[in-house]
Amino acid sequence: MKTCLIVDDSSVIRKVARRILEGLDFQIKEAEDGEQALDVCRKGLPEAILLDWNMPNMDGYEFLRSLRRMPGGDSPKVVFCTTENDVAHIARALHAGANEYIMKPFDREIVEAKFQEVGLL
């Protein structure tokens, strides 16, 4: 079973994403911010990361840059999931190493389609 790390400071978003991804046969780990997410990744890299942009302590962009510098940190498929929808944010995320981008609010169809696009399903 593949593992997905859900990184979002909203417990509601984590709960919704967990339900969707468990339905797609993922084992779920959660983190409330980029610092917690890095701790999880140091213990074992997931195959997928659903990543929020705006979080306290360490935002999604800084987390992604740190992840990609870790040994093996280039392997997880990272899907940004955020309300930031301007082209500059999207370009910055993709340049930092994101594989895909989902806009909030999202549903199972959107998550499933993006995870298929990056080869996770």
Side-chain angles (χ1 to χ4, degrees):
M1 183 179 278
K2 291 182 180 175
T3 302
C4 182
L5 172 59
I6 301 168
V7 188
D8 200 301
D9 56 328
S10 165
S11 62
V12 172
I13 296 292
R14 290 195 313 271
K15 186 175 184 178
V16 169
R18 171 184 282 274
R19 226 180 252 143
I20 291 169
L21 290 163
E22 284 178 343
L24 298 172
D25 291 330
F26 280 87
Q27 179 182 345
I28 303 301
K29 295 182 179 180
E30 294 185 20
E32 293 179 14
D33 61 42
E35 288 178 2
Q36 283 185 10
L38 279 178
D39 288 343
V40 171
C41 290
R42 286 184 192 107
K43 294 172 186 156
L45 290 168
E47 284 84 5
I49 300 173
L50 190 64
L51 180 62
D52 185 25
W53 190 294
N54 297 308
M55 296 177 290
N57 302 323
M58 179 187 284
D59 68 18
Y61 179 75
E62 285 303 315
F63 162 77
L64 181 57
R65 289 173 41 110
S66 298
L67 170 74
R68 294 305 193 207
R69 289 192 298 262
M70 289 173 62
D74 57 341
S75 63
K77 300 289 185 185
V78 177
V79 177
F80 254 109
C81 178
T82 182
T83 56
E84 301 293 346
N85 64 355
D86 63 271
V87 175
H89 269 92
I90 295 169
R92 198 168 153 217
L94 296 173
H95 182 72
N99 299 93
E100 249 319 328
Y101 209 92
I102 293 175
M103 296 305 305
K104 289 179 184 174
F106 56 87
D107 60 19
R108 182 187 165 112
E109 285 180 20
I110 293 167
V111 173
E112 194 169 358
K114 293 293 183 176
F115 274 51
Q116 281 177 343
E117 280 181 37
V118 298
L120 288 163
L121 295 173

